[in-house]
Amino acid sequence: MSQAMPTTGVHVRAPGKLNLFFEVGPLGDDGYHDVASAYQAVSLYEDVWAEPSDAFTIAVSGSVDVSTVPCDDRNLAVRAARMVAREVGYRGGVHLDIVKNVPVAGGMGGGSADAAAALVAVDALLGADLGTARLLAMGAKLGADVPFALMGGTAIGTGRGDELRPALAQGRFEWVIVTTGDGLSTPEVYGHLDAQRDDGLAPEGREDIRDVEPGVLHALRAGDARALAEHMRNDLQVAALALRPELRTTIELGERSGALAGIVSGSGPTIAFLAEDRDAALDLQISLAASGYAALHVHGPVHGARVLA
Ligand code: ATP
């Protein structure tokens, strides 16, 4: 294979995600769960700059606490960069500069967004032009949420969440998210759900999950926030709330303060509140902030990982 020639530098932005609906099947023999997920990419972004270097290196900073993010080959973005380089036979290195705004271990897919951004950035940096289908396949090898961070918008994910199809969604949904510095480990939350199910403390997972509830698809198609609020669901919530009981108070406060509904995002601990419209979201953000919460107003859907000029 010919040696790819890097350009000088590329800037890519990738979004964090919310799960509007997340059904988790029983623990499979392979140690994984099948899921049915409705994802929405929201306007909280990771910025990744890639430039040619002698080795694969990374610097991580941001508006969130990044002290627990690995800065070596354990970082998903470094693995993504190496994967593209290997794919095109590039023998040099790449330096990645990551500026994170998505809370680490927050259930919003920040690491996956970094990996998606790195795939797109290094593909552009090396002039590889691998194409969407190959980048999606490479993303799925890195993690179940990476393909969605590439795709963005609103999508339905089945299998491990990586068998994706775009969902028709009209208009724009207004969200207020409440973040906490102290993240939750995704494997720990899944493990806790399995234990709760074994002990009869959580409903059994349905075998053979094929899709999200039709009500979710109808609400998205109609751009109807009230209808979506009625159908939002997250099977990991019962586990996240058991591990972090204080999140229940957050959800109750948000719902009393005007949210249509509040839900744990992914494996938590971020809470996502759906608001009726922009004004309602601003009011909600202000009242949650006045109560001492770190509340951000975001909207969705937004684009997946893409190169910025
Ligand atoms: P998900 O919802 O996709 O399961 P998350 O949003 O809860 O994940 P992330 O912030 O993506 O959590 O990261 C989870 C863990 O992955 C971190 O604790 C960290 O150790 C590791 N990690 C690897 N690469 C990254 C990265 N680029 N950014 C953040 N964490 C990373």
Side-chain angles (χ1 to χ4, degrees):
M1 207 176 282
S2 67
Q3 166 106 24
M5 283 302 293
T7 57
T8 48
V10 175
H11 175 196
V12 172
R13 180 165 285 176
K17 56 85 184 168
L18 298 175
N19 297 91
L20 324 179
F21 183 92
F22 200 61
E23 180 175 357
V24 180
L27 178 65
D29 294 336
D30 58 1
Y32 287 91
H33 302 78
D34 277 345
V35 303
S37 170
Y39 295 101
Q40 185 157 89
V42 294
S43 57
L44 191 64
Y45 300 100
E46 306 280 83
D47 281 299
V48 174
W49 284 264
E51 60 186 27
S53 177
D54 294 337
F56 285 86
T57 54
I58 185 166
V60 182
S61 60
S63 62
V64 293
D65 178 6
V66 297
S67 57
T68 58
V69 177
C71 284
D72 52 24
D73 276 1
R74 286 170 300 165
N75 195 299
L76 222 46
V78 176
R79 289 169 46 203
R82 282 189 185 276
M83 198 181 257
V84 175
R86 227 181 4 256
E87 190 81 3
V88 299
Y90 170 64
R91 286 185 234 281
V94 174
H95 176 72
L96 298 174
D97 241 311
I98 300 193
V99 177
K100 292 182 73 72
N101 292 302
V102 176
V104 176
M108 289 189 67
S112 302
D114 297 344
L119 286 174
V120 170
V122 179
D123 177 67
L125 185 75
L126 303 182
D129 212 5
L130 290 173
T132 308
R134 264 166 96 185
L135 290 180
L136 284 170
M138 289 163 75
K141 284 189 197 151
L142 290 162
D145 288 343
V146 181
F148 177 69
L150 286 166
M151 188 168 156
T154 308
I156 306 306
T158 48
R160 287 179 193 166
D162 58 349
E163 292 166 24
L164 282 181
R165 64 172 208 275
L168 288 174
Q170 223 188 107
R172 159 172 161 149
F173 292 88
E174 304 289 338
W175 301 93
V176 175
I177 57 170
V178 171
T179 64
T180 26
D182 198 9
L184 269 174
S185 143
T186 304
E188 188 188 349
V189 176
Y190 270 99
H192 202 76
L193 176 66
D194 293 334
Q196 287 175 308
R197 284 176 167 173
D198 287 347
D199 296 342
L201 298 173
E204 289 294 330
R206 200 159 55 99
E207 300 276 354
D208 210 20
I209 304 174
R210 291 194 190 281
D211 209 342
V212 301
E213 274 174 21
V216 177
L217 300 173
H218 292 151
L220 289 169
R221 211 174 295 148
D224 185 339
R226 278 188 179 272
L228 181 61
E230 276 168 32
H231 292 281
M232 278 167 30
R233 157 178 169 185
N234 179 2
D235 286 2
L236 290 178
Q237 178 156 317
V238 62
L241 293 183
L243 292 167
R244 294 284 168 80
E246 68 277 14
L247 295 178
R248 196 180 291 281
T249 314
T250 315
I251 294 177
E252 286 167 2
L253 177 64
E255 291 184 342
R256 273 203 316 275
S257 309
L260 296 174
I263 195 172
V264 169
S265 177
S267 51
T270 303
I271 305 291
F273 292 105
L274 181 57
E276 170 101 59
D277 54 28
R278 192 166 177 276
D279 286 346
L282 289 170
D283 287 347
L284 177 60
Q285 182 196 8
I286 289 166
S287 39
L288 288 167
S291 301
Y293 290 97
L296 299 170
H297 172 207
V298 299
H299 65 269
V302 299
H303 278 280
R306 61 175 181 177
V307 176
L308 296 191

